[in-house]
């Protein structure tokens, strides 16, 4: 597969939406990780920051999760799909203007989200905390993006629809439906239904948003970037289609594995557990396909900073999705549920897998749309190592803390009596957070300069 023709439309404004999404992603990564860092300090020393209402743990945690997920990873991936689809179908983006409208509306929704969540205005359902008017904004953005990209495909010159295009449209359709139903938008005041059915609905949403928003677009990016960087055709088109259809089949109904300790119907739990184990099929077909494509060519991957990030993301995908089925088993979850083990898994999935692929895709695509080298390969490498070391550290420390919590609780210890035992781990987590936060700041500087800076002498930078 080779890089497809660049597109220039709307009076030289080509790719301005993509650049805007990338810059938003890099900026939000700084704000979002800062919020996580504040939360981590509060878990170490609850009184240290005083009792400022808008950063108390319950609020800053929601600001953190919404920002790192939707604003950092989400904005980055939305930028990626605005590049992937036109490039793969060899047709300019239907409307750069609609692209920019979605960019501004998306950022407006995110700013409104930070303000309202900080003020305590929340619907308190995990990852669906933002209030109704903001949900409406998100749905409008998703619909407009679908329209814009669909019109682009309708005008395509390339008859073959590559698998990345399938993933993008599958992702857009399923994310829209998941967001619409999951946020119970027909109940504007609460964004929820009631009782156990609402818990089931909330985790239908909570899990599917990970599977259909973050996973599909990340996989689309990996499927596009790995063959180019490896300089080899995709190993198997058939495997890629099996992976696509099986993820739609498996992922859509396993959210109840978050409710194994709750009074959800047993038949639903059985379906959720079986489907969770079955998730090995879509995950492994993608990974086997990608890794056989790059077989014997790891050198090529590692000489490209974008490819390097994407490859690391694919390894995190394997680890996340080996751990996921494991912790869907009731015997394992008795020990791990509600502990920091799950927080470790969450960071590995969202930052390790999806976030790392997002960063890789940004570094891969930027030189191609700015037509100049990245500002600094060195800084991108530095960010790579900071995020990688931070993530490995997070995983180790949080998993250990989780096992201590789980064992203590199973032995009948009261929740508060375990806290001194995990204190050191919370300190280490906050320390490791500085690495990731530092990586975010470096990334913002590098991405900003790559878009707006003047070209530097080649000795300091390199174009792929
Ligand atoms: C871009 C990178 C990051 C991503 C994608 C990310 C993602 C997440 C997610 C998904 C959760 C929810 C976990 C769950 O409920 O199971 C979470 C919680 C949290 N994260 Fe992050 N995070 C990132 C960086 C950081 C950093 C740098 C810190 C600073 C130390 C941090 C600290 C926290 C804390 C304190 C929580 C709450 C944990 C709890 O409730 O016990 N995160 N993060
Ligand atoms: C094979 C695929 C996967 C399976 C079977 C799986 C399974 C699970 C299970 C059972 C839990 C709940 C654990 C508990 O509460 O005790 C969980 C939590 C979570 N997973 Fe996964 N997972 C998978 C892949 C992923 C991926 C790819 C991501 C990220 C893109 C991800 C992100 C998360 C997050 C953020 C949570 C925390 C939710 C919360 O706030 O409680 N997972 N996963």
């Amino acid at each position: 597969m080779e890089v497809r023709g660049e597109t220039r439309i709307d009076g030289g404004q080509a790719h301005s939406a993509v650049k805007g999404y990338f810059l938003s992603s890099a900026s939000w990564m700084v704000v979002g990780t800062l919020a996580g860092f504040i939360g981590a300090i509060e878990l170490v020393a609850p009184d240290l920051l005083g009792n400022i209402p808008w950063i108390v743990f319950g609020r800053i945690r929601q600001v953190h999760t919404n920002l790192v997920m939707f604003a950092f990873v989400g904005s980055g991936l939305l930028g990626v799909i605005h590049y992937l689809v036109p490039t793969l179908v060899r047709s300019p983006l239907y409307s750069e203007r609609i692209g920019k409208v979605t960019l501004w509306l998306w950022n407006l929704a995110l700013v409104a989200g930070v303000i309202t969540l900080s003020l305590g205005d929340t619907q308190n359902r995990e990852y669906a905390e933002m209030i109704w008017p903001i949900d409406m904004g998100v749905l409008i953005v998703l619909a407009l993006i679908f329209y814009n990209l669909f019109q682009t495909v309708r005008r395509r010159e390339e008859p073959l629809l590559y698998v990345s295009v399938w993933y993008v449209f599958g992702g857009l359709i399923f994310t829209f439906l998941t967001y619409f139903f999951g946020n119970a938008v027909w109940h504007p005041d609460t964004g929820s239904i009631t009782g156990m059915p609402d818990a089931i609905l909330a985790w239908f949403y909570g899990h599917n948003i990970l599977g259909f928003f973050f996973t599909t677009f990340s996989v689309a990016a990996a499927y596009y970037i790995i063959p180019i960087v490896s300089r080899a055709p995709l190993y198997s088109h058939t495997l890629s289609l099996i992976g696509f259809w099986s993820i739609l089949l498996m992922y859509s109904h396993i959210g109840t594995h978050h409710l194994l300790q709750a009074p959800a119907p047993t038949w639903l739990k059985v379906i959720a557990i079986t489907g969770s184990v079955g998730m090995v099929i879509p995950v492994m077909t993608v990974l086997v396909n990608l890794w056989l494509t790059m077989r014997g060519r790891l050198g090529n991957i590692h000489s490209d900073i974008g490819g390097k990030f994407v490859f690391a993301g694919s390894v995190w995908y394997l680890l996340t999705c080996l751990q996921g089925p494991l912790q869907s088993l009731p015997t394992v979850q008795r020990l791990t549920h509600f502990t920091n083990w799950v927080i470790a898994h969450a960071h590995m999935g969202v930052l390790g897998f999806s976030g790392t692929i997002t960063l890789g895709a940004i570094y891969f695509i930027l030189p191609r749309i700015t037509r100049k080298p990245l500002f600094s390969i060195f800084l991108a490498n530095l960010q790579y190592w900071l995020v990688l070391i931070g993530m490995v550290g997070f995983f180790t420390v949080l998993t250990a803390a989780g096992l201590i919590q789980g064992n203590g609780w199973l032995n009948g210890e009261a929740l508060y009596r375990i806290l001194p035992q995990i204190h050191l781990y919370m300190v280490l987590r906050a320390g490791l957070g500085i690495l990731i936060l530092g990586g975010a700041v470096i990334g913002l500087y590098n991405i900003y300069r790559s878009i707006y800076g003047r070209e530097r002498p080649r000795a300091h930078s390199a174009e792929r």
Side-chain angles (χ1 to χ4, degrees):
M1 195 191 287
E2 55 185 52
V3 186
R4 305 279 163 189
E6 302 291 338
T7 54
R8 284 192 69 78
I9 49 167
D10 284 4
Q13 290 298 302
H15 301 305
S16 55
V18 180
K19 289 180 203 159
Y21 274 116
F22 286 174
L23 199 57
S24 310
S25 166
S27 314
W28 286 119
M29 186 183 181
V30 175
V31 188
T33 47
L34 183 64
F37 184 60
I38 295 173
I41 291 177
E42 290 175 347
L43 290 176
V44 173
D47 297 325
L48 186 70
L49 302 176
N51 220 359
I52 307 166
W54 48 274
I55 56 164
V56 292
F57 188 74
R59 296 189 192 177
I60 201 74
R61 186 187 194 283
Q62 296 189 4
V63 170
H64 169 60
T65 51
N66 280 281
L67 283 191
V68 286
M69 294 175 90
F70 294 107
F72 155 49
V73 186
S75 305
L77 290 176
L78 290 179
V80 169
I81 66 174
H82 276 85
Y83 173 80
L84 280 191
V85 172
T87 309
L88 282 172
V89 302
R90 284 199 284 139
S91 164
L93 184 65
Y94 170 67
S95 164
E96 198 65 38
R97 195 162 296 131
I98 297 180
K100 280 195 283 187
V101 168
T102 61
L103 169 70
W104 285 106
L105 205 56
W106 178 250
N107 276 295
L108 187 69
L110 294 169
V111 171
V114 177
I115 295 173
T116 48
L117 292 176
S118 302
L119 292 173
D121 209 349
T122 169
Q123 293 185 332
N124 265 332
R125 290 157 92 247
E126 188 129 45
Y127 315 137
E129 289 97 347
M130 294 194 282
I131 54 174
W132 189 81
I134 302 177
D135 290 341
M136 286 295 121
V138 170
L139 286 171
I140 292 170
V141 169
L142 289 172
L144 283 175
I145 291 177
F146 178 86
Y147 174 74
N148 205 6
L149 295 183
F150 185 69
Q151 292 297 345
T152 309
V153 173
R154 280 191 57 201
R155 290 161 173 71
R156 72 183 191 270
E157 283 175 28
E158 170 61 58
L160 188 69
L161 286 182
Y162 289 100
V163 64
S164 298
V165 179
W166 287 61
Y167 271 100
V168 169
F169 280 93
L172 280 172
I173 293 168
F174 274 70
T175 302
F176 184 91
L177 295 174
T178 301
Y179 203 92
F180 180 89
F181 289 109
N183 279 283
V185 292
W186 58 97
H187 287 300
D189 44 344
T190 59
S192 66
I193 49 179
T194 49
M196 202 56 216
D198 186 60
I200 294 168
L201 182 66
W203 279 114
F204 162 83
Y205 166 81
H207 202 77
N208 285 6
I209 206 77
L210 300 165
F212 293 134
F213 187 53
F214 300 108
T215 304
T216 47
F217 296 161
S218 303
V219 169
Y223 264 131
Y224 176 72
I225 293 169
I226 293 286
I228 297 177
V229 175
S230 311
R231 293 184 215 111
L234 186 65
Y235 175 73
S236 161
H237 185 62
T238 313
L239 266 187
S240 66
L241 290 187
I242 295 175
F244 174 78
W245 288 110
S246 57
I247 198 173
L248 295 191
L249 194 73
M250 296 286 179
Y251 224 118
S252 48
H253 56 270
I254 61 176
T256 302
H257 63 205
H258 294 256
L259 294 169
L260 297 184
Q261 337 273 313
T266 307
W267 62 267
L268 200 53
K269 290 182 185 173
V270 172
I271 289 178
I273 297 166
T274 321
S276 301
V277 176
M279 272 298 295
V280 171
I281 299 169
V283 173
M284 287 319 293
T285 44
V286 168
L287 288 175
V288 165
N289 210 357
L290 289 176
W291 290 345
L292 286 180
T293 303
M294 64 172 96
R295 187 172 46 172
R297 296 163 183 265
L298 215 56
N300 291 350
I301 298 273
H302 276 261
S303 59
D304 183 297
I305 184 63
K308 195 164 145 179
F309 268 99
V310 174
F311 174 66
S314 74
V315 176
W316 284 120
Y317 188 42
L318 174 74
L319 299 176
T320 311
C321 297
L322 288 179
Q323 187 184 41
L326 182 75
Q327 68 192 16
S328 305
L329 305 176
T331 34
V332 176
Q333 222 184 83
R334 273 185 73 219
L335 176 70
T336 56
H337 192 57
F338 284 145
T339 71
N340 276 292
W341 166 292
V342 181
I343 312 286
H345 171 79
H347 283 91
M348 179 158 71
V350 184
L351 171 60
F353 158 52
S354 225
T356 306
I357 289 190
T358 302
L359 289 170
I362 292 178
Y363 286 129
F364 178 85
I365 293 169
L366 264 184
R368 290 170 161 77
I369 58 177
T370 57
R371 294 170 182 276
K372 57 187 182 203
L374 281 180
F375 172 70
S376 167
I377 299 281
F378 169 77
L379 288 181
N381 261 310
L382 186 60
Q383 184 185 23
Y384 173 86
W385 284 109
L386 288 172
V387 171
L388 187 64
I389 296 169
M391 189 48 238
V392 172
F394 259 33
F395 182 75
T396 315
V397 165
L398 292 170
T399 303
L403 290 174
I404 294 173
Q405 288 175 299
N407 271 304
W409 297 345
L410 279 183
N411 285 331
E413 280 289 8
L415 196 126
Y416 74 94
R417 280 170 56 95
I418 305 293
L419 294 180
Q421 293 180 38
I422 61 165
H423 183 74
L424 174 65
Y425 297 88
M426 294 295 102
V427 174
L428 289 173
R429 188 258 293 275
L432 288 161
I434 296 175
L435 300 185
I436 300 173
L437 180 57
V441 173
I442 289 169
L444 173 60
Y445 177 68
N446 201 8
I447 289 167
Y448 178 83
R449 293 297 301 265
S450 297
I451 296 175
Y452 293 111
R454 271 185 293 143
E455 199 169 321
R456 298 204 308 169
R458 285 197 76 82
H460 298 288
S461 55
E463 185 165 19
R464 313 257 128 247

